[in-house]
Amino acid sequence: TAWKYSLATHIMSKHTNEKPFKCHICSFATSAKGALVQHIRAHAGNYRYQCPECGFKSHNCERFNEHVLKHTPHRISGHYKCGACSFMAKTAAGIAIHHKVHNSQGQKRKFWM
């Protein structure tokens, strides 16, 4: 079951330092299969998220949201606000997806949190 897998992964990563999932391209090793999958995507250049301001790329949504905060100093009721229209999103990834609309229309992308 899922909880048994989670427990086994926890024990390997926190208590035994076992890292059975190994990258076939470099020396990276991890205790979590999902972490290896994300790592291999990075080798392939398959990034799910790209910052509309600077081009930063990540396959990890949490890391991407942390990065986008560097470009978004303003918070409006805990949401990201588009600088080109009245659209608001709950996440940085949401506003980045929305900005593709403006980018396709040739408008400069601006957004605030």
Side-chain angles (χ1 to χ4, degrees):
T1 63
W3 72 270
K4 285 183 183 178
Y5 177 77
S6 296
L7 178 60
T9 300
H10 167 80
I11 290 169
M12 281 191 287
S13 67
K14 304 296 181 191
H15 302 292
T16 67
N17 204 27
E18 253 184 274
K19 297 181 178 181
F21 301 101
K22 300 182 185 329
C23 178
H24 65 281
I25 299 169
C26 70
S27 61
F28 178 80
T30 182
S31 59
K33 184 178 180 181
L36 177 61
V37 170
Q38 287 184 347
H39 172 82
I40 290 173
R41 283 183 186 155
H43 278 301
N46 296 333
Y47 297 98
R48 191 177 276 173
Y49 307 100
Q50 183 171 353
C51 178
E53 293 295 313
C54 71
F56 169 83
K57 296 176 184 177
S58 179
H59 53 267
N60 181 290
C61 183
E62 186 175 316
R63 196 168 292 139
F64 173 75
N65 284 334
E66 287 173 8
H67 166 80
V68 172
L69 289 176
K70 295 175 186 177
H71 299 298
T72 56
H74 308 292
R75 181 182 288 261
I76 300 169
S77 302
H79 291 80
Y80 292 87
K81 166 101 175 60
C82 178
C85 72
S86 61
F87 181 82
M88 294 178 80
K90 291 182 180 180
T91 66
I95 199 72
I97 291 167
H98 166 76
H99 281 162
K100 291 179 181 179
V101 171
H102 296 301
N103 191 32
S104 67
Q105 297 170 353
Q107 296 178 3
K108 174 126 175 84
R109 295 166 294 192
K110 296 178 185 175
F111 56 98
W112 298 275
M113 180 176 165

